Amino acid sequence: AQSPKAQHAHAQASDGMAVLDVFLPFQNEWAVFWASALFVAFVVLSGLFSLVGPFKAKPMLAAHHLVMVFPFAWLSYQGAVHWNSSSKLVPDDASSRLFFQVESAACFAPTMLGLQVFDLSTTLLVPGLGKADAIAHHAIALLLAYQLTSTAFLHYWEPFYFGILEMSSVPLCFVDLLRCFPKLAKRLDGTNEFVR
């Protein structure tokens, strides 16, 4: 048997580990990759856009919208590939579709978590993005991605909700970009109409 002092020290160490466990989803390799890549791309594009081109007046705003194209395009592609294949792996009953762990779906929630860490941060920091509805949307999406990264719950549905549904986000990045730069939108009228 351990002494009361040793038991107390063990309990404190366990409590410390429980607190650290809260951060485990943020350490997922997909979440780290996407959050890091998006922040680096954002900083590089913001710097370039501040020097030259049609985005010089609002370089961070332009960088934000353009950077977001890449994770949405990747999630859309992965969703299209894995939604069809994962539906063949999972037994056709409600319990399996809630709790069946689909290995190929393991990238969706952490990718969305990394994306939302970046998106919520830039939404709060970049002038012109910080509207209350956008902040609420990104905070809720971050919490959902965090929860799904923490568990194997709903793996079957992740390729659909975090993948296929993001197909509409790719053109919306360009819609938002052109909305922020009306002169450019006017020069690219055909493209602007097409993406809307």
Side-chain angles (χ1 to χ4, degrees):
Q2 290 182 330
S3 70
K5 189 175 184 177
Q7 287 175 349
H8 180 70
H10 180 72
Q12 282 184 318
S14 295
D15 288 345
M17 294 306 280
V19 169
L20 292 178
D21 288 349
V22 171
F23 296 105
L24 281 178
F26 295 105
Q27 296 171 21
N28 178 287
E29 63 186 323
W30 289 103
V32 170
F33 168 78
W34 280 106
S36 301
L38 293 170
F39 278 114
V40 167
F42 173 75
V43 168
V44 169
L45 285 178
S46 293
L48 289 173
F49 292 159
S50 69
L51 299 174
V52 66
F55 306 125
K56 197 172 180 178
K58 302 180 222 170
M60 292 192 308
L61 197 58
H64 169 82
H65 292 309
L66 288 174
V67 163
M68 293 304 292
V69 170
F70 297 101
F72 287 141
W74 188 84
L75 283 167
S76 299
Y77 171 76
Q78 294 298 322
V81 168
H82 294 294
W83 175 245
N84 188 35
S85 64
S86 68
S87 63
K88 295 174 185 169
L89 297 172
V90 179
D92 194 18
D93 61 84
S95 177
S96 294
R97 291 190 177 196
L98 291 176
F99 299 105
F100 193 87
Q101 191 162 1
V102 181
E103 193 62 36
S104 63
C107 65
F108 287 93
T111 296
M112 184 59 73
L113 181 62
L115 181 157
Q116 292 302 333
V117 165
F118 167 79
D119 210 1
L120 182 59
S121 300
T122 54
T123 297
L124 292 169
L125 297 173
V126 174
L129 289 177
K131 297 181 177 101
D133 60 335
I135 293 168
H137 166 81
H138 295 307
I140 291 167
L142 187 141
L143 290 173
L144 178 62
Y146 173 88
Q147 178 61 33
L148 294 177
T149 301
S150 303
T151 67
F153 186 57
L154 299 175
H155 263 201
Y156 171 80
W157 295 103
E158 287 179 24
F160 182 79
Y161 286 104
F162 285 158
I164 289 176
L165 287 185
E166 294 304 340
M167 287 180 183
S168 65
S169 297
V170 174
L172 285 176
C173 291
F174 295 105
V175 168
D176 290 341
L177 176 72
L178 293 172
R179 187 177 296 138
C180 295
F181 296 91
K183 289 179 185 176
L184 181 62
K186 193 171 184 173
R187 283 195 343 231
L188 300 172
D189 190 47
T191 303
N192 191 24
E193 286 302 314
F194 176 75
V195 294
R196 283 195 282 171

